[in-house]
Amino acid sequence: MKIRQVISIIASKLTIFLLHLLKRGGTTLPGKVAFKLYPDILKSIASNFEIIMVTGTNGKTTTTRIVEEILKNNNVDYITNKSGANLLSGITTLFIQAVSISGKPKHKVALIESDEAAFNQVTKHLTPKAVIVTNFFRDQLDRYGELYSTLNAVKSGLERIGDNTALILNADDSMCASLGIATAKPVIYYGINQQAYQATSENMNSDAMFCIQCKNKYEYSNRIYGHLGGFYCTNCGYKRPDAHLECIEIQEAGSSYSTIKCKCSSTLLQENNEFVTRINLPGLYNIYNAMAAAACGLALGYKVETISNALQSFESGFGRMESINVMDKTIKLILVKNPTGFNQVLSFLALENQSLNTAFLINDNLADGTDISWLWDVDFEQLNNVSDKIDGLITSGVRGEDMAVRLKYSGLDTSKIRIIKDYHMLIEEGLKKTPPGGCFYILPTYTAMLDIRSILKKKFNLKEFWK
Amino acid sequence: MFDLNICHLYPDLLNTYGDRGNILALQKRAQWHGINTTVQNVTIGDNFDASDYDIIFLGGGQDYEQEIIQKDVLEQKNTEIKNAIENMKVFLCICGGYQLMGKYYKTWDGKEIEFLGALDLWTVGGKERMIGNIVFESNFIMENGNPLKIVGFENHSGRTYLGENIRPLGKVLFGNGNNGTDGYEGAVYKNVYCSYSHGSLLPKNPMLTDHLLTLALKQKYTDFDALGKLDDTFENEARNTVIQRILK
């Protein structure tokens, strides 16, 4: 037994214990302590787990929660990181919690959400059995640098791990799909078929318009949103790969769920390779999250029925469309952090058939991204299509004033826009305006979500997130 | 009735940090002032005749996209842009678009990339990016008798230096500006306005937007006098919040 390892685990577990005594949900510090004492700690204790990793720009948390539900449906004993502890130290803390002092694992599987910029670092220590990559969009450029550096970081992280790792990749994302080129690893692609969805307008502010291979402009046979869709390059021939798992029909797109028909290639499922299922969250982006998780489940050999059950029963992750019932009204909390994600949330809001009361909480702390320029890349103009339904728009957070300016320039009626910096007052105002049976939407950036969530927790008894 | 034609150059390539907000600001404020606008997108391979437009906008891009436009801008649009500048056409160039107007970009390991050379300025790459909020004051525009305080957000590794005929857009009060050393931000030459400020620059600094609209209208209409006043409550609150936060 390695004595440094034991000391490192004990010190780290002690830190976790102390933080809990202080009623703080610390996930970073224990990991840091462990590394300080024994740099190989994670590599050493994680090697006894079967690891599934999820990375990419948007949808990591939700995809991870769906995979979790698949594991539950298969009675698999697992650990997983919650509450956005998806950097190296948070992941280390999770593993420390999951082993005995001698380093023996208490569980079989580890389901790990990894920040895309940290992925390269994390894979120095972990060798996953499967990696899901959701997508690449511009996000927090002040922190990540350029979009292509994020892609390259994930790419070199993947190159570091052996050829036995299955890659679960988004076929509709030219950047994500490119990770499947020139690799010896088994690759499973998932996507939305062009028969299932065709966007009506081309998004001007697409993130990857030029070929990743030869820099020629892509043509598209269909567009889903952002740069996702049936891309092909007329110059070098790089094109959307055929997907092993596809959504071939969206039968129902409601404001709380979607019903879809899927088709599977024979590599994933031999008999009855079509199935209909319901996804327990609305919106196109959740169809992608569901496809990603389902493709991973099929690749790992789980049965279609258990996967379908999981899609119908999973609950969204921390701050991702969480619902709080307050008397006869609902507060819905939806995290926003980059243009594409925000656009998807707005198109979802447009489905709401009642009057729309929405609060936008914009912070510019490190974890949110210190640059709020991205608000100008969000298509708030689409709210003009539902302007008759908009009752009140509240802006708040450190950058609430900037958000008000953004809404004003989108052409919405300024008399409906109010800046309310106090969160207690904001909740009160929002609820007051919401009709019985109606919904008050709160759209915060990450740190604003932590703040408003802790207020909502006190007010309405929400679960503590780190439990 | 006055109208203005706005050209967004390379909108699909130079649009990294919400630069589209500048186009929106020009369009919206013109509309609120009762002026008609059209916005034309012009990109790689498109024919570009500067005389069709009153205001030309270039935003910032990532290295990958900047490389793609290099050939098109140097070979296809070079002369048109240079002539337009000398003919007092109004330009707004942000970050990558700003650097592109200069003579060259020298990477930190010594490689020199030729740029348009429309303005006497040049950029040298640095290893560290200069990222963060920026406030600078510009005496091109006066506010209650004082130089206008402009706020934005910068994110660049290039250090830009100005030649003799180019004046800086303003003096840095907080942040790095052109090169982090000489205390200046942006550049002005004739009616070309350049800045490293994203944020977006124009929506939050409405007096600068109106200044550019005025320049363009004066170029186009001899009978144009001045723009009226608009309600800028939100804009001023956003600008003042940042100023108070970082200059306190």
Side-chain angles (χ1 to χ4, degrees):
Chain A
M1 202 174 5
K2 297 174 200 120
I3 190 75
R4 283 184 80 185
Q5 173 172 315
V6 175
I7 293 169
S8 162
I9 294 175
I10 292 175
S12 174
K13 279 183 183 286
L14 203 61
T15 316
I16 296 169
F17 177 73
L18 288 173
L19 286 173
H20 273 222
L21 270 191
L22 297 168
K23 290 200 187 306
R24 287 182 45 201
T27 49
T28 313
L29 188 63
K32 285 195 174 153
V33 168
F35 270 118
K36 200 100 196 155
L37 294 167
Y38 183 39
D40 272 340
I41 183 71
L42 181 57
K43 192 177 224 164
S44 162
I45 60 175
S47 62
N48 297 317
F49 288 83
E50 192 177 299
I51 297 167
I52 303 166
M53 282 179 81
V54 182
T55 193
T57 307
N58 287 331
K60 288 185 291 290
T61 302
T62 304
T63 303
T64 307
R65 297 288 76 88
I66 308 175
V67 176
E68 178 179 11
E69 201 67 20
I70 296 174
L71 296 176
K72 272 188 204 162
N73 270 275
N74 283 283
N75 303 313
V76 175
D77 186 24
Y78 67 92
I79 54 166
T80 184
N81 53 338
K82 291 192 181 178
S83 71
N86 62 6
L87 302 175
L88 185 60
S89 49
I91 293 169
T92 308
T93 304
L94 171 80
F95 276 98
I96 299 261
Q97 280 174 304
V99 295
S100 68
I101 286 172
S102 65
K104 262 183 70 178
K106 300 176 189 164
H107 310 271
K108 185 172 163 246
V109 168
L111 169 61
I112 305 297
E113 174 189 330
S114 166
D115 175 88
E116 60 276 27
F119 183 77
N120 192 14
Q121 215 187 350
V122 174
T123 47
K124 282 181 187 158
H125 308 272
L126 304 183
T127 303
K129 189 176 183 190
V131 177
I132 300 174
V133 188
T134 57
N135 47 53
F136 290 95
F137 289 106
R138 272 185 279 182
D139 183 29
Q140 299 190 19
L141 293 176
D142 55 308
R143 187 157 80 91
Y144 294 145
E146 304 196 336
L147 178 62
Y148 297 91
S149 18
T150 309
L151 174 68
N152 287 332
V154 172
K155 197 172 177 183
S156 52
L158 289 175
E159 279 162 8
R160 195 191 299 285
I161 49 184
D163 288 343
N164 297 321
T165 304
L167 304 185
I168 320 293
L169 304 177
N170 189 333
D172 296 338
D173 179 345
S174 54
M175 299 186 85
C176 184
S178 74
L179 294 170
I181 304 171
T183 177
K185 296 180 180 68
V187 178
I188 307 288
Y189 287 109
Y190 62 89
I192 297 177
N193 188 280
Q194 81 176 84
Q195 308 303 324
Y197 191 82
Q198 183 85 40
T200 43
S201 64
E202 181 181 333
N203 185 352
M204 190 58 221
N205 197 50
S206 185
D207 289 325
M209 298 178 89
F210 292 80
C211 181
I212 187 80
Q213 307 278 74
C214 75
K215 296 187 174 169
N216 193 49
K217 194 167 180 169
Y218 289 122
E219 301 282 324
Y220 276 84
S221 57
N222 70 307
R223 282 181 175 275
I224 312 283
Y225 61 78
H227 61 269
L228 305 184
F231 64 88
Y232 60 95
C233 175
T234 51
N235 185 48
C236 74
Y238 174 51
K239 62 177 186 0
R240 176 193 188 267
D242 290 334
H244 300 85
L245 175 67
E246 265 185 331
C247 164
I248 54 168
E249 193 188 341
I250 300 169
Q251 299 180 335
E252 213 180 344
S255 63
S256 61
Y257 66 89
S258 311
T259 309
I260 60 165
K261 190 189 233 180
C262 301
K263 191 177 180 183
C264 246
S265 76
S266 57
T267 48
L268 282 177
L269 195 65
Q270 276 174 346
E271 285 163 55
N272 301 326
N273 72 349
E274 283 186 11
F275 60 95
V276 174
T277 188
R278 210 173 99 154
I279 298 168
N280 197 27
L281 274 183
L284 264 176
Y285 55 106
N286 281 314
I287 297 183
Y288 273 114
N289 296 334
M291 290 291 101
C296 179
L298 289 168
L300 292 172
Y302 297 123
K303 288 214 160 63
V304 146
E305 294 72 34
T306 64
I307 291 168
S308 183
N309 282 342
L311 297 184
Q312 292 175 46
S313 62
F314 81 96
E315 281 178 42
S316 58
F318 181 50
R320 277 93 180 159
M321 199 127 12
E322 278 186 293
S323 287
I324 301 141
N325 293 321
V326 182
M327 311 279 276
D328 52 356
K329 300 170 186 180
T330 313
I331 295 177
K332 273 194 178 142
L333 208 54
I334 315 178
L335 178 74
V336 289
K337 50 176 195 154
N338 54 38
T340 304
F342 210 144
N343 279 337
Q344 288 303 301
V345 172
L346 294 177
S347 14
F348 156 75
L349 287 185
L351 295 173
E352 177 64 78
N353 37 33
Q354 298 213 7
S355 74
L356 213 49
N357 279 289
T358 311
F360 303 91
L361 280 52
I362 309 298
N363 279 0
D364 65 353
N365 297 314
L366 265 181
D368 308 293
T370 53
D371 185 6
I372 52 141
S373 304
W374 64 277
L375 290 177
W376 293 91
D377 288 327
V378 180
D379 185 20
F380 292 101
E381 285 70 19
Q382 64 177 308
L383 290 176
N384 285 304
N385 301 333
V386 290
S387 58
D388 52 324
K389 279 197 293 191
I390 294 172
D391 202 16
L393 301 167
I394 300 173
T395 72
S396 189
V398 181
R399 293 291 199 147
E401 294 84 1
D402 283 85
M403 186 62 220
V405 173
R406 177 66 190 97
L407 289 173
K408 175 180 176 180
Y409 281 80
S410 72
L412 293 161
D413 181 355
T414 46
S415 68
K416 289 181 180 170
I417 306 168
R418 281 184 64 193
I419 305 171
I420 305 178
K421 298 284 253 193
D422 181 288
Y423 286 170
H424 291 278
M425 212 194 283
L426 177 150
I427 295 167
E428 207 169 293
E429 272 295 310
L431 282 174
K432 202 167 77 190
K433 279 205 136 190
T434 307
C439 186
F440 173 42
Y441 292 95
I442 301 180
L443 278 47
T445 59
Y446 188 74
T447 66
M449 194 256 297
L450 298 183
D451 295 341
I452 192 100
R453 208 176 177 285
S454 92
I455 291 172
L456 291 167
K457 193 180 81 187
K458 278 191 202 121
K459 263 190 144 92
F460 309 114
N461 265 329
L462 265 177
K463 269 191 289 187
E464 288 188 85
F465 72 83
W466 61 84
K467 286 196 174 152
Chain B
M1 188 76 182
F2 300 120
D3 54 52
L4 290 174
N5 297 325
I6 301 165
C7 173
H8 193 172
L9 258 186
Y10 305 112
D12 48 352
L13 289 150
L14 300 180
N15 68 344
T16 304
Y17 302 96
D19 294 326
R20 183 176 76 115
N22 295 313
I23 293 283
L24 268 179
L26 290 169
Q27 236 182 325
K28 286 290 166 190
R29 288 192 76 80
Q31 182 193 328
W32 296 330
H33 284 299
I35 295 153
N36 281 327
T37 56
T38 60
V39 176
Q40 185 76 40
N41 292 324
V42 174
T43 190
I44 287 187
D46 291 350
N47 189 39
F48 173 63
D49 183 349
S51 65
D52 291 344
Y53 310 106
D54 307 301
I55 300 176
I56 295 162
F57 174 71
L58 283 109
Q62 309 186 78
D63 292 348
Y64 181 84
E65 282 110 6
Q66 299 242 41
E67 274 173 41
I68 296 176
I69 64 167
Q70 186 76 0
K71 198 171 171 240
D72 187 81
V73 81
L74 287 186
E75 289 173 14
Q76 308 295 325
K77 301 183 172 73
N78 193 341
T79 324
E80 271 299 310
I81 292 176
K82 282 181 182 160
N83 289 342
I85 290 172
E86 294 308 316
N87 292 328
M88 298 302 283
K89 193 69 76 186
V90 177
F91 278 76
L92 176 65
C93 314
I94 304 291
C95 200
Y98 170 18
Q99 296 173 349
L100 193 67
M101 285 287 152
K103 296 194 282 197
Y104 60 84
Y105 186 104
K106 199 160 154 190
T107 60
W108 60 269
D109 54 356
K111 206 170 88 183
E112 203 171 294
I113 303 160
E114 186 196 350
F115 277 171
L116 268 174
L119 303 184
D120 181 18
L121 55 92
W122 59 95
T123 305
V124 180
K127 278 192 179 178
E128 295 216 345
R129 287 187 89 83
M130 302 189 274
I131 303 174
N133 289 305
I134 178 168
V135 180
F136 59 97
E137 58 180 13
S138 177
N139 53 19
F140 285 88
I141 305 155
M142 301 302 275
E143 184 182 33
N144 309 322
N146 299 310
L148 178 70
K149 285 192 178 69
I150 296 175
V151 306
F153 192 95
E154 58 182 337
N155 185 350
H156 55 110
S157 56
R159 277 97 171 125
T160 295
Y161 300 90
L162 307 184
E164 277 179 9
N165 298 322
I166 311 284
R167 286 170 297 168
L169 175 59
K171 214 168 85 190
V172 176
L173 301 177
F174 183 91
N176 290 289
N178 282 341
N179 47 49
T181 49
D182 68 13
Y184 291 112
E185 153 62 17
V188 179
Y189 173 75
K190 296 192 187 251
N191 281 341
V192 183
Y193 285 69
C194 303
S195 175
Y196 271 116
S197 286
H198 303 284
S200 278
L201 178 64
L202 293 189
K204 228 173 13 210
N205 300 287
M207 286 182 75
L208 178 59
T209 318
D210 284 1
H211 178 75
L212 296 177
L213 290 172
T214 305
L215 286 176
L217 288 161
K218 282 193 169 156
Q219 279 298 312
K220 191 168 187 178
Y221 300 101
T222 45
D223 59 335
F224 173 78
D225 182 25
L227 292 172
K229 278 243 164 240
L230 295 175
D231 175 7
D232 296 332
T233 313
F234 283 154
E235 290 89 332
N236 289 334
E237 276 183 48
R239 194 164 63 98
N240 290 333
T241 311
V242 174
I243 291 174
Q244 277 161 16
R245 192 169 133 205
I246 62 184
L247 292 187
K248 65 179 173 210

